[in-house]
Amino acid sequence: MASRAVDIINTGPSFTQADADALNARFAGMGTAAMLRVLFAEGALGRVAVVSSFGTESAVLLHLVAQADPTTPVIFVDTLKELTKRFGLGNSSVVQPDPAVLAAKDENGLRWSWDPDGCCEIRKIEPLKRAKQGLDAWISGRKAFQSVTRQNLPRFEIEDGKLKINPLGDWTKDDLEAYFEEHDLPRHPLEAQGYLSVGCQPCTSIVAPGEDPRAGRWRGWDKTECGIHSPSDPASGSDEGELPPGYEPAF
């Protein structure tokens, strides 16, 4: 009598560092738009989503993804709904902090004033971690030029067994400006006021001429990143600027 086949559940990571290295080598020198078209056409990313928000350059990443595959899921806060509609991205979801956690750990909404790391944890890190469950890969909007913590940012890297793609990692500010102009993309309303990196209202300030683009984040604190990305990453850093629900832009 033939023995019954044993069912095996694969609990290993979706991608390994070797996979990221191979992808970095394969797409070295290829334009970002062409790279995304190939990745989506081949289905090489498995279950993938874009993690985006109310950053000053969010429109560029969303437009690039929409041109490659408009069915790609987008995880974002509600301030970007108008962009997903304009670009034809029809599979979007909103991340929100857990109300019970907020009630227990930030009842008066002032945790940012004495514990910004803890505030980011409950309003950004935990909700996005929850939203990314079940994904094999996700697309970030980080750029190497934004700060010293993001130098040498690869296009592909591994975080918690997931493939993380940084399509704009090697883009310069001039590259972004040219893309905005070429495709007539909407600009962030706060950028003209000097907010070059937008986060939560209490922790975002105007950037002075000559300062690092992210100098206005957590000014006065020994903090440069929200912590969405793993500290073990060689180029750890936040996405282009998440704005947790409940906090309004810094006008």
Side-chain angles (χ1 to χ4, degrees):
M1 179 178 178
S3 61
R4 178 181 178 276
V6 178
D7 293 330
I8 299 177
I9 299 176
N10 183 5
T11 59
S14 302
F15 291 92
T16 66
Q17 186 59 50
D19 295 321
D21 292 341
L23 288 167
N24 278 316
R26 177 186 176 188
F27 291 104
M30 182 181 290
T32 302
M35 178 191 75
L36 290 174
R37 285 195 299 270
V38 171
L39 288 171
F40 286 119
E42 293 181 350
L45 303 178
R47 295 163 296 181
V48 61
V50 181
V51 176
S52 188
S53 185
F54 204 47
T56 55
E57 294 132 0
S58 295
V60 171
L61 179 63
L62 291 180
H63 187 267
L64 282 163
V65 171
Q67 299 306 300
D69 184 356
T71 68
T72 304
V74 180
I75 301 171
F76 69 115
V77 294
D78 59 9
T79 48
L80 276 188
K81 283 184 178 177
E82 67 274 16
L83 287 182
T84 61
K85 291 177 181 178
R86 172 169 174 170
F87 298 158
L89 291 160
N91 188 357
S92 60
S93 61
V94 178
V95 297
Q96 295 181 343
D98 186 327
V101 173
L102 292 183
K105 297 186 176 182
D106 194 15
E107 182 179 8
N108 61 7
L110 294 176
R111 188 166 188 141
W112 63 270
S113 65
W114 54 273
D115 180 20
D117 286 337
C119 186
C120 286
E121 170 66 34
I122 61 178
R123 292 184 177 275
K124 295 183 179 182
I125 300 172
E126 190 282 327
L128 281 174
K129 182 178 181 181
R130 190 170 2 105
K132 290 185 290 186
Q133 288 179 349
L135 295 180
D136 299 312
W138 60 286
I139 301 173
S140 160
R142 293 182 300 165
K143 303 116 190 140
F145 78 86
Q146 289 176 317
S147 71
V148 295
T149 63
R150 301 179 179 190
Q151 292 178 352
N152 304 314
L153 188 65
R155 275 184 166 179
F156 301 91
E157 55 186 332
I158 301 297
E159 182 182 281
D160 298 329
K162 301 184 195 309
L163 183 68
K164 180 162 58 177
I165 306 100
N166 305 302
L168 305 179
D170 60 352
W171 283 43
T172 66
K173 185 64 174 174
D174 287 343
D175 293 332
L176 292 165
E177 292 297 323
Y179 197 91
F180 267 104
E181 292 294 326
E182 179 182 356
H183 298 281
D184 190 27
L185 301 183
R187 305 306 299 248
H188 194 294
L190 296 181
E191 185 176 15
Q193 299 179 35
Y195 295 95
L196 303 187
S197 180
V198 179
C200 302
Q201 183 274 331
C203 300
T204 301
S205 59
I206 291 175
V207 176
E211 283 189 312
D212 184 296
R214 289 178 60 81
R217 303 288 294 276
W218 305 286
R219 193 179 293 279
W221 290 92
D222 184 19
K223 177 178 174 65
T224 58
E225 303 288 354
C226 69
I228 286 175
H229 301 267
S230 170
S232 63
D233 289 355
S236 179
S238 168
D239 193 37
E240 63 252 349
E242 287 73 18
L243 184 68
Y247 281 162
E248 296 299 324
F251 290 102

